[in-house]
Amino acid sequence: MCTSAHLLSYSGIVLDVLRHTQFRRLFTAQVVALIGTGLLTVALGLLAYDLAGAHAGAVLGTALAVKMVAYVAVAPVISALTERVPRTTLLVSADVTRVAIALMLPWVTQIWQIYVLIALLQSASATFTPAFQSVIPALLPEEEHYTRALSLSRLAYDLESLLSPILAAAALTVISYHLLFVGTAAGFAVSAVLVLTTRLPRLTSARPEPLWERITSGARLMLDRPVLRGLLAMNLAVAAATSLVVVNTVVYVRDRLDGSNTGVALALGCFGFGSMVVALTLPRVLADVLDRRVMVTGCRILPAGLLAAAVIPLLGSVVGGCALAVTWAVLGAGTSMINTPSARLLRAQSDSDSRAAVFTAQFSLSHACYLLTYPIAGTLGALAGLPITAVVLAVIATLAATTAVRVWPASAPADSEAVAAGR
C-alpha cells in the first residue's frame, strides 16, 4: 500500500505534465466534457423515470445498448470518412453536435425520442473520443510525458464518476433536472472553445484506399500484431470486471447487504479509488517495469477479484460490506493496470498515418466487449443470482487473460523503437 506522502509525491509527478500549455487546454476540455456527460447520466435517468415510471430501468438499458452500438459501429466509419479533416474541426464539430442534442433532450415527450437523440449524441462522442486520444501522442512525443498524460486522463474518468453525481445532487436541490441538460450542453460548449484555442497537429493520411479498407484498417492492424491482439483480449477481461461493478453494485449493497443509497455511492467510490491509486503510481512503475508485465498482472487480479465477489453475498452485512469495499478497490486497480498503459501500446504500435485508425479501432472493439458482458451481468444476475454471475464473469476474464498471454508473447516488442525496427 502507498502512504499518503507517496501518493502526494506521485500526484505531483503526474500533474507536472500540465505545464505543457496545449495539453493543459485539451485536458481541461476533457474534464469539463466529462462533467457534462456525468450530469447527462443523472438527468437521463430522471427523464426516463418521468416517461416510463417503473419501467425506467428497461429504458435506460436500451439507451445503454444504443450507446454501445454507436461506439462499435459508428466510430470506425466516422474515422474513415473524416481522416483528412483537421483535428480541430473534427473535435469542435463533435462538441457542437453534442451541445445541440443536449439542448433538445429537455423537450423530449416520447421514449423513442430518447433513443434517437442518444444515438446521435453517442455517435458524436464516438467521433470525439478517438480523435482526442489519437492527437495526444503528437502533442507529447516524449514517452515519460505521455505516460503521465495517460495517468491524468485515467484519473479524470475516475474523478468524474465520483464527483458528477455529487454535483448533480447539489444542483437538484435548487433546480429542475431538466436544467441539468443545460449544464451538459455548457460542458460541451466549453470543451469546444478550449479545443479552438489549442494548436493541434494535422493528422491526416494521404493513402488513397477504398472506404471499406479505411474503415477496417485499424482493426486489421490490431489483429495483425501480437501486442495489440493481446490488448484486444485484455479488453474483455476489463469489461467482465467493470460490468459486474456498474450493473450490480446497487444489488450487492441494497439487496444483499441491506445497505443504503450512500452505501452504493461509497462502493462505487472504492472502485474509483483503486483505479486512481494505480493511475497515480503507474508513471513511476512503468519507468522500470515493462507494460506487458503490469497489464498481465492486472489480468490475473481481475478473475481473483470476481471470484471474491461471488462469496460476498454469503457473508453478513458488516463483513460483507468490508469485503465488498476491498474487492471493488482491487477490481478498480486491476482494470486501471490494463486501461492506463493501453494507449502507450497503441502509440508504439502505430505511426502518424495509422494512429487515428488504431485508436478508433481500440475504442470501438473495447466497447464491443460490453455488448457481451453487460447482458450477462444484468440478465444472469437477475435470473441466477450474484454468485453465479460473478463466477461466470470470472471464467470469461480468465479465458481472456489466458488468451492475452498466449497471443502476446513476452518476446514481442512493445516499444516504438523496436516496432519501427521490425517493420
Side-chain angles (χ1 to χ4, degrees):
M1 290 289 295
C2 295
T3 65
S4 298
H6 286 153
L7 281 178
L8 288 173
S9 174
Y10 293 155
S11 62
I13 293 172
V14 172
L15 294 174
D16 182 65
V17 74
L18 290 177
R19 294 179 181 178
H20 190 288
T21 303
Q22 305 307 318
F23 172 74
R24 184 173 65 248
R25 290 175 180 169
L26 272 190
F27 176 72
T28 306
Q30 178 193 23
V31 169
V32 294
L34 283 173
I35 292 173
T37 302
L39 295 178
L40 173 68
T41 300
V42 175
L44 193 61
L46 296 172
L47 175 61
Y49 187 80
D50 262 3
L51 296 179
H55 299 289
V59 173
L60 289 176
T62 303
L64 184 62
V66 168
K67 171 183 175 179
M68 291 301 156
V69 170
Y71 281 2
V72 172
V74 173
V77 175
I78 294 296
S79 177
L81 292 174
T82 61
E83 66 176 4
R84 291 180 173 82
V85 177
R87 298 298 93 176
T88 299
T89 302
L90 185 62
L91 293 172
V92 171
S93 297
D95 268 337
V96 169
T97 301
R98 295 195 290 186
V99 169
I101 295 170
L103 291 177
M104 292 180 191
L105 282 167
W107 308 100
V108 164
T109 58
Q110 301 293 327
I111 292 174
W112 67 266
Q113 295 171 346
I114 292 180
Y115 300 150
V116 171
L117 291 178
I118 289 301
L120 294 173
L121 188 144
Q122 299 302 342
S123 294
S125 294
T127 301
F128 182 94
T129 303
F132 174 89
Q133 293 172 338
S134 66
V135 81
I136 300 300
L139 285 178
L140 301 172
E142 293 186 22
E143 191 76 17
E144 182 181 8
H145 291 166
Y146 183 56
T147 302
R148 294 176 184 178
L150 295 179
S151 295
L152 203 57
S153 180
R154 181 73 252 162
L155 187 64
Y157 280 103
D158 294 329
L159 287 174
E160 181 275 324
S161 67
L162 296 175
L163 296 181
S164 288
I166 296 174
L167 291 174
L172 288 171
T173 62
V174 294
I175 63 173
S176 163
Y177 77 83
H178 290 93
L179 291 178
L180 292 181
F181 292 119
V182 178
T184 297
F188 294 143
V190 173
S191 173
V193 171
L194 288 168
V195 171
L196 274 174
T197 61
T198 306
R199 294 191 302 273
L200 299 181
R202 187 178 179 88
L203 302 177
T204 58
S205 172
R207 296 172 297 174
E209 294 180 343
L211 177 61
W212 177 249
E213 291 188 13
R214 298 203 305 273
I215 292 174
T216 60
S217 62
R220 285 186 283 110
L221 192 149
M222 292 191 74
L223 292 172
D224 183 57
R225 296 189 175 167
V227 173
L228 298 184
R229 286 202 300 270
L231 176 58
L232 288 175
M234 291 179 182
N235 289 335
L236 182 57
V238 169
T242 304
S243 294
L244 183 71
V245 173
V246 170
V247 175
N248 287 316
T249 293
V250 65
V251 183
Y252 272 98
V253 175
R254 296 300 307 274
D255 188 50
R256 303 300 184 187
L257 302 175
D258 296 322
S260 62
N261 288 336
T262 302
V264 174
L266 290 174
L268 292 172
C270 289
F271 181 79
F273 175 76
S275 180
M276 284 190 289
V277 169
V278 170
L280 286 170
T281 56
L282 272 186
R284 181 168 293 184
V285 172
L286 291 174
D288 302 313
V289 181
L290 293 176
D291 294 48
R292 183 184 185 276
R293 183 176 177 182
V294 171
M295 298 174 76
V296 168
T297 300
C299 283
R300 290 170 177 161
I301 287 174
L302 295 181
L306 288 167
L307 288 176
V311 180
I312 291 173
L314 308 178
L315 305 175
S317 58
V318 176
V319 176
C322 294
L324 182 71
V326 173
T327 301
W328 262 218
V330 168
L331 289 175
T335 57
S336 190
M337 291 174 77
I338 297 169
N339 284 332
T340 303
S342 63
R344 283 166 50 102
L345 300 184
L346 299 173
R347 177 197 191 194
Q349 297 284 316
S350 61
D351 54 28
S352 58
D353 285 342
S354 63
R355 186 155 294 145
V358 170
F359 272 84
T360 300
Q362 164 66 3
F363 178 83
S364 178
L365 296 175
S366 63
H367 283 91
C369 297
Y370 290 94
L371 291 176
L372 169 66
T373 57
Y374 271 145
I376 290 175
T379 305
L380 192 61
L383 297 177
L386 294 177
I388 292 178
T389 302
V391 169
V392 170
L393 290 171
V395 170
I396 292 174
T398 300
L399 293 174
T402 303
T403 301
V405 172
R406 288 182 176 273
V407 301
W408 179 5
S411 58
D415 63 281
S416 55
E417 292 182 3
V419 172
R423 287 196 183 113

